[in-house]
Amino acid sequence: MAHQYPQAGRCIQQVTQQVWNVESPTGQSSYNYVNIPNSNKSFSIKETGSLLVVESYTQGWLASSGSGCDATIYWNSGSSGGVLGRGSSSNGNGWSRSGNGGDSYRSFNIGRIHHIDHGLTAGSTIEIGLSFGAWNTTGASVNYANYKSLMGWWCMEFSREGV
Amino acid sequence: MASQLKVDEITTVSGTGTLKIAGNVQTNLSDNSSGIILPKGTEAQRSTAPVLGETRVNSENKTIEFYNGTGWQRVSTIPAVSNSVVGMHYTIFGSSLNTSGPNQVYQNHTGSTLTFNTIEANSSFMLIADMCGYQSGTGSGVNIAFEFNGIRYAGEPGGNGDTWMGAVHSGISSGSFNLKKMYTVSPNLAAGTSVTAYIQCGHWSGSGNHYFNYPGYNPSSTFVIKEFVNIAS
């Protein structure tokens, strides 16, 4: 059953981050997500227990190695945050949001929408950024040979309180 | 004949229960230099038998709350921000555009045209495109950009084919594509300014066809423009 937020009506804050020509993240390995440099931004939560809705848009490249890849968002880190909607580490097919095993020399373009139940109080700082992963190789990147990837995210904070 | 009662404190006989002002009367607190002090307490201190409309200050989150008949509802003190859709093709727009011709040149997709008047002065605009298409008989890549009020945004410069690979690529001679792009612009326009915007389409190289919206099909390309104030970018 879908989540329902009967009082989530008013948009009380919106934050966006967009980046050009970012460097490919390092530390990529199979089934692993890594943060995309400079795609992050921190801001203060306006209302305790509010709802965040985030749209993300990510472009990149599957290089010579056959693979599948995924891109999404992360928020904060550790037990209270992390990568949202990540592919399963035990099933490579879960990574085939763009491309697949055997694919190479292809561009990818991924748009996603997620919500964040942050559980933070008003005034708390939250960090949001883009995250990127490859299925079984390191052959995917977000900035191949001067590829000027435009990518970014857009966060809306919605109130759950009364008017 | 009006009468006055001057006291410093009023309570019930027992010191508890409900203090009621009887009759169809209007309460008029005429002093303009003071305010009503509502009862305040923690959430644990809330009434165990609240009635509809009962209002208090929640001392934990420093907000006013009232009982709405089923639960305690806070009255938010945070104003909403402007967030308006000012133009959109929410399903499919217009006809097909084939960018066969010059390489690495963006063209306005006239079928995507959106024209609107700005609501606020000095606002920002979120441009969101979801563009479907198909390229045939050519090994190439395609990409999209935006034209907003006569200025191109989010378009890669020419001169390097790699920058055009928003979707598909030179090794793929025929294939479908789906490009999603978002860009925020802050052009400092006056309220009421008429703006025309397009999705721009282009391809890297090749002599074949690059169809943005394939002819004869019913693709689901969309183009949405939202106007904001107070966006943190």
Side-chain angles (χ1 to χ4, degrees), chain B residues 17-181:
Chain B
T18 301
L19 180 64
K20 184 177 181 180
I21 299 175
N24 186 19
V25 299
Q26 183 181 58
T27 302
N28 183 355
L29 305 175
S30 59
D31 188 345
N32 59 11
S33 60
S34 63
I36 297 174
I37 300 175
L38 295 174
K40 57 182 175 294
T42 65
E43 294 182 6
Q45 292 173 317
R46 286 169 174 161
S47 170
T48 55
V51 298
L52 177 66
E54 186 171 328
T55 304
R56 67 194 292 273
V57 172
N58 184 318
S59 62
E60 294 182 33
N61 57 36
K62 309 296 189 294
T63 57
I64 296 173
E65 61 184 17
F66 68 95
Y67 189 72
N68 63 13
T70 56
W72 290 93
Q73 183 170 324
R74 279 184 283 178
V75 178
S76 177
T77 57
I78 304 170
V81 297
S82 169
N83 179 344
S84 306
V85 173
V86 289
M88 67 186 298
H89 294 284
Y90 62 91
T91 53
I92 174 57
F93 52 78
S95 57
S96 174
L97 171 65
N98 184 354
T99 64
S100 62
N103 300 327
Q104 299 172 27
V105 173
Y106 284 106
Q107 303 176 37
N108 286 339
H109 194 313
T110 56
S112 72
T113 309
L114 289 175
T115 300
F116 63 95
N117 291 328
T118 60
I119 299 172
E120 306 275 355
N122 303 319
S123 53
S124 298
F125 299 87
M126 182 72 75
L127 314 175
I128 307 166
D130 186 342
M131 185 80 232
C132 296
Y134 183 80
Q135 70 174 26
S136 61
T138 179
S140 183
V142 292
N143 215 328
I144 57 174
F146 300 101
E147 181 174 301
F148 186 91
N149 202 32
I151 299 174
R152 175 181 301 150
Y153 294 96
E156 295 81 352
N160 186 334
D162 290 330
T163 70
W164 282 83
M165 297 172 201
V168 202
H169 176 54
S170 56
I172 310 298
S173 61
S174 296
S176 300
F177 57 82
N178 177 217
L179 284 156
K180 296 182 175 69
K181 210 164 211 179

Side-chain angles (χ1 to χ4, degrees), chain B residues 175-196:
Chain B
S176 300
F177 57 82
N178 177 217
L179 284 156
K180 296 182 175 69
K181 210 164 211 179
M182 175 198 76
Y183 202 71
T184 303
V185 299
S186 300
N188 296 323
L189 300 176
T193 301
S194 177
V195 172
T196 299

Side-chain angles (χ1 to χ4, degrees), chain A residues 7 10-18 20 41 43 46-49 55-61 104-112 122 144-154 156-163, chain B residues 61 63 66 68 73-83 126 128-129 143 146 153-157 160 162-172 178-185 226-233:
Chain A
Q7 293 182 46
R10 299 178 309 118
C11 180
I12 56 177
Q13 180 174 211
Q14 46 215 347
V15 182
T16 186
Q17 172 78 332
Q18 51 196 24
W20 271 106
K41 177 179 281 186
F43 58 96
K46 290 278 190 183
E47 180 182 283
T48 300
E55 290 190 27
S56 65
Y57 298 83
T58 311
Q59 295 185 15
W61 173 257
S104 58
Y105 299 115
R106 286 191 180 184
S107 299
F108 62 83
N109 184 291
I110 298 170
R112 298 184 71 164
Y144 175 78
N146 296 319
Y147 185 112
K148 296 181 184 303
S149 302
L150 170 67
M151 52 187 69
W153 53 266
W154 162 38
M156 293 168 287
E157 181 177 1
F158 290 100
S159 172
R160 282 173 164 153
E161 297 181 352
V163 296
Chain B
N61 57 36
T63 57
F66 68 95
N68 63 13
Q73 183 170 324
R74 279 184 283 178
V75 178
S76 177
T77 57
I78 304 170
V81 297
S82 169
N83 179 344
M126 182 72 75
I128 307 166
N143 215 328
F146 300 101
Y153 294 96
E156 295 81 352
N160 186 334
D162 290 330
T163 70
W164 282 83
M165 297 172 201
V168 202
H169 176 54
S170 56
I172 310 298
N178 177 217
L179 284 156
K180 296 182 175 69
K181 210 164 211 179
M182 175 198 76
Y183 202 71
T184 303
V185 299
K226 289 189 172 189
E227 180 174 352
F228 299 96
V229 293
N230 297 327
I231 190 167
S233 60

